[in-house]
Amino acid sequence: MSEKIWSKEYSFPPVKACNIIYAIILMLIPNIIFLAISIITETSRPLINIDYVIPVLLILLKRPLYKWVGVIALSVLTISDVTMFIFQLFPFMDLEGALYLAPFFLQAPTRYIVFLLVILIYAIALPVSIKSFSRPIDNYHLLLASGIVLLLSYSFSVNGLRYKEGSGTTFGSHNNYFAASQTSILFSIQDMRFVQKASIEPSFTPTKYKRVASMLERPYNNKILFIVVESLGVAKKSDVQNKIIEPITSQQPILEFYENGIYQAPDSTIKAEIKELCAQDLDGYGLRMVAESEFPFCLPKQLSDKGYRTAALHGANGKLYDRFSWYNKAGFKDVKFSENLFEAKRCKAFNGICDDEIFPIIQSYFEKNEPSFFYWMTLTAHATYAQKDIYSKRLDCESYGVKDNETCRNMMLQAQFFESLAKLNSQPEMKGVEVVLIGDHQPPITNGIARFREYDYPLVTWLHYKIK
C-alpha cells in the first residue's frame, strides 16, 4: 500500500489567473471606501487592512454557514477601521471615552448621528453585497489568492514598511503601513485597559501641563471668573488669532492688567477641567465613583474654605462626564446644568444651553460684593460648529484666506464668544473681577489638511486680565 502511495504521480490542478485575480480583488474591495475617506480627510490608514482577508475568504466558500460567518466577521471588523478614523478626526476621543459617551448619542450633533448611521449601514451592506453578488470559487484558487495576499501583507507588516510618515499627533495617525491589521493597532494603542477601568474609579496624578489657574493673583482676588472655552485652539495665522480675541485686547483701557498666550493642552474636555481646577491629570472617566474624601483638593474647595461663594455652570446635561457628581466634590456649592435652565434658549451642541444665555447669569452672580468664584465650561463652540448658532460676521474668513468651512465656523464661533465676553466685561457688576480663560483642547477638524494648516496643534489659547 505504501509503495502505491509513493509511486503514484500527483499533479496540481491548472491555475486560472482570472480566478486568483478575482478573489484578490474581492479581498481588497472593503479597503476602497476607507482609503477614499483617509485621502479626503488626510488621516492615516494601511493600504491593506488584512483583517478583511479571512472574512472575504469565508464568504467565497460554497457552504452557507461559512458564508454567514464571513458576513458577520466582516461587519464586526469594520468597527476597528471606523474607530481608528474617529480617534484621528476627533483627537479628544479614545475608546474608553467613546464607550462612555455612547449613552449621549441621541444628544450629539446631527452630523455625528448621520455619520454613525451611514457607517452602520455600510458595515452591514458591504458584506451582504459581497455575499450576494460574488460567484463561488473553488478552494484551490481561494487558497492561492489568500496565500498571496497574506504572504505579501505579512512581509510588509513584519518590516513595518510605510508608504509615508504619519503626523503622530493623534491616536492612529502613524499607521500609514502598506499592510497591517487595524484591529491589532487599535488594541495596541489602547492597551485595552478600558475594560478594567470601566468598572473601577479613575486615578489622578500631578499634572504635567501648564495651568492658567496658576496665574491667579495671590492672595486670591475677591471676585474670580474662570472659563474653560470649548474647542478654543490657536490660529496659525497671527492676524486671524488677533482678530478672534480683538474684543478683549481692545478693552485694555478698562483693564488693570492684560496678558495672553498659548499652552499645550490635553486631548479631552474633562481632562482639561481636572487639570485646571485640580492640578491633576486624569486616567479614567467614572468620576462619580470617586469618594469625596478621595477627591483632589481642588481650587473651588480651597476658595470655599476661605469663605468664597463657589458656582459652576455647564450648558449640557449634568450626567455628561459625571459633572453632576464631581463638581460638588471639587468644592462647588452652586451647580447648574441644562436641566436646571429649562427655559433658556438651546443651541445645536448636545441640545444644550446657548453660551449667550450664560453671560447674564454671570453678571448677576457678581452683583454681590462678597468673595465669589464662578466657573463656566462653555458649549456652543463644540464640534461640529453649527452654522445656525453663528450670528456675528466680524470675522470674514475669506479675507483671511481661511477656506475650509468647518474651520471657519469654529473661528467665527470663537470670535463671537469674545464679542459677548467683552460686553460682559463692560458691565458695572464686573468691576474688580479677575478673569482667566483657556481652551480645553485643540478644535477637532475633519479636513486633515486644514487642521494643520490653520491651527497650531495641540495648543490652546489663554487669557488673563482684571477689570478695573
Side-chain angles (χ1 to χ4, degrees):
M1 176 68 71
S2 60
E3 291 181 1
K4 290 183 179 181
I5 294 175
W6 289 107
S7 61
K8 185 177 179 180
E9 292 187 8
Y10 294 92
S11 62
F12 289 103
V15 175
K16 296 180 180 179
C18 58
N19 283 355
I20 296 176
I21 294 172
Y22 177 71
I24 291 176
I25 289 173
L26 287 178
M27 291 175 184
L28 298 181
I29 278 178
N31 293 277
I32 294 175
I33 295 295
F34 288 115
L35 281 174
I37 294 174
S38 70
I39 293 171
I40 293 171
T41 60
E42 280 288 306
T43 47
S44 299
R45 184 190 184 277
L47 289 179
I48 300 174
N49 179 8
I50 60 178
D51 295 339
Y52 298 140
V53 176
I54 301 301
V56 173
L57 184 151
L58 292 172
I59 291 173
L60 291 175
L61 292 174
K62 294 180 180 180
R63 291 191 179 183
L65 176 61
Y66 294 161
K67 287 179 177 292
W68 284 112
V69 170
V71 167
I72 295 171
L74 188 55
S75 293
V76 171
L77 289 169
T78 302
I79 296 173
S80 300
D81 236 337
V82 174
T83 304
M84 293 300 294
F85 277 115
I86 291 174
F87 290 170
Q88 295 176 75
L89 296 174
F90 308 105
F92 55 86
M93 187 67 70
D94 59 15
L95 190 52
E96 183 189 1
L99 291 175
Y100 180 85
L101 292 174
F104 301 95
F105 171 70
L106 294 178
Q107 299 177 36
T110 303
R111 187 188 299 185
Y112 289 8
I113 297 174
V114 171
F115 172 76
L116 290 174
L117 289 177
V118 169
I119 290 299
L120 178 62
I121 293 171
Y122 172 78
I124 297 172
L126 176 68
V128 171
S129 298
I130 292 177
K131 175 184 177 297
S132 301
F133 297 106
S134 61
R135 58 179 174 82
I137 300 174
D138 62 274
N139 294 349
Y140 173 63
H141 284 91
L142 273 179
L143 182 62
L144 288 176
S146 58
I148 291 171
V149 174
L150 290 174
L151 183 62
L152 290 174
S153 299
Y154 177 77
S155 177
F156 286 128
S157 180
V158 295
N159 290 296
L161 298 178
R162 292 183 173 95
Y163 57 92
K164 68 174 181 179
E165 288 298 320
S167 65
T169 57
T170 57
F171 284 125
S173 58
H174 64 287
N175 64 332
N176 293 303
Y177 299 106
F178 282 100
S181 164
Q182 286 283 65
T183 302
S184 175
I185 294 172
L186 174 62
F187 273 61
S188 67
I189 65 174
Q190 290 296 316
D191 196 24
M192 301 315 290
R193 289 175 299 159
F194 75 94
V195 175
Q196 293 84 18
K197 290 193 295 183
S199 59
I200 63 174
E201 65 184 61
S203 59
F204 303 92
T205 54
T207 185
K208 61 180 178 293
Y209 297 98
K210 291 183 178 179
R211 303 166 58 233
V212 71
S214 64
M215 296 184 179
L216 288 169
E217 290 185 323
R218 301 293 194 279
Y220 288 113
N221 190 55
N222 207 41
K223 296 182 178 181
I224 301 171
L225 172 60
F226 199 130
I227 309 174
V228 175
V229 185
E230 176 65 51
S231 299
L232 175 63
V234 178
K236 188 166 287 187
K237 299 173 182 175
S238 59
D239 52 350
V240 176
Q241 176 75 357
N242 293 336
K243 186 66 175 178
I244 290 173
I245 64 175
E246 181 182 54
I248 310 300
T249 56
S250 63
Q251 285 190 316
Q252 292 192 54
I254 70 167
L255 304 180
E256 188 173 310
F257 62 81
Y258 170 81
E259 54 186 339
N260 71 78
I262 58 178
Y263 279 161
Q264 187 172 346
D267 56 10
S268 71
T269 300
I270 184 63
K271 291 179 181 178
E273 290 189 275
I274 295 294
K275 177 258 295 184
E276 284 294 342
L277 293 174
C278 307
Q280 299 289 309
D281 287 336
L282 178 68
D283 185 18
Y285 293 95
L287 288 164
R288 67 191 179 281
M289 293 184 280
V290 181
E292 186 168 355
S293 60
E294 300 297 323
F295 209 82
F297 189 47
C298 303
L299 177 61
K301 181 67 166 65
Q302 297 172 35
L303 292 173
S304 180
D305 289 350
K306 294 178 182 293
Y308 282 69
R309 295 185 303 145
T310 56
L313 191 151
H314 181 52
N317 189 290
K319 292 181 180 179
L320 192 60
Y321 287 125
D322 291 348
R323 291 185 177 96
F324 76 94
S325 173
W326 76 265
Y327 272 9
N328 292 120
K329 296 172 186 175
F332 292 112
K333 300 300 184 183
D334 181 16
V335 177
K336 286 185 172 63
F337 304 107
S338 63
E339 56 266 36
N340 309 119
L341 303 168
F342 53 89
E343 294 183 352
K345 180 182 176 183
R346 303 278 169 155
C347 282
K348 289 290 288 184
F350 290 93
N351 192 36
I353 307 304
C354 298
D355 284 355
D356 274 357
E357 297 286 286
I358 310 303
F359 290 104
I361 297 174
I362 296 173
Q363 180 180 341
S364 175
Y365 188 78
F366 286 111
E367 281 181 345
K368 295 183 179 181
N369 189 24
E370 55 186 84
S372 305
F373 176 74
F374 193 101
Y375 170 72
W376 176 26
M377 177 67 238
T378 73
L379 182 64
T380 302
H382 195 286
T384 56
Y385 322 115
Q387 183 67 45
K388 87 172 198 63
D389 295 333
I390 300 173
Y391 56 81
S392 172
K393 308 300 180 184
R394 181 173 62 86
L395 179 66
D396 182 2
C397 294
E398 187 175 347
S399 66
Y400 288 97
V402 179
K403 299 177 181 179
D404 178 68
N405 186 261
E406 191 176 13
T407 301
C408 178
R409 296 198 308 273
N410 169 266
M411 292 179 172
M412 291 184 73
L413 282 169
Q414 302 300 357
Q416 178 175 291
F417 164 80
F418 281 106
E419 283 182 44
S420 298
L421 180 60
K423 292 177 183 177
L424 175 68
N425 291 340
S426 64
Q427 302 305 312
E429 293 85 353
M430 298 300 291
K431 289 182 179 179
V433 175
E434 183 181 3
V435 181
V436 287
L437 68 85
I438 189 168
D440 57 350
H441 52 68
Q442 62 270 32
I445 299 293
T446 304
N447 186 312
I449 296 176
R451 186 188 318 153
F452 293 101
R453 181 184 64 226
E454 303 294 350
Y455 297 98
D456 276 331
Y457 263 55
L459 304 177
V460 294
T461 298
W462 60 261
L463 272 65
H464 177 213
Y465 58 88
K466 184 177 179 181
I467 304 167
K468 291 180 180 177

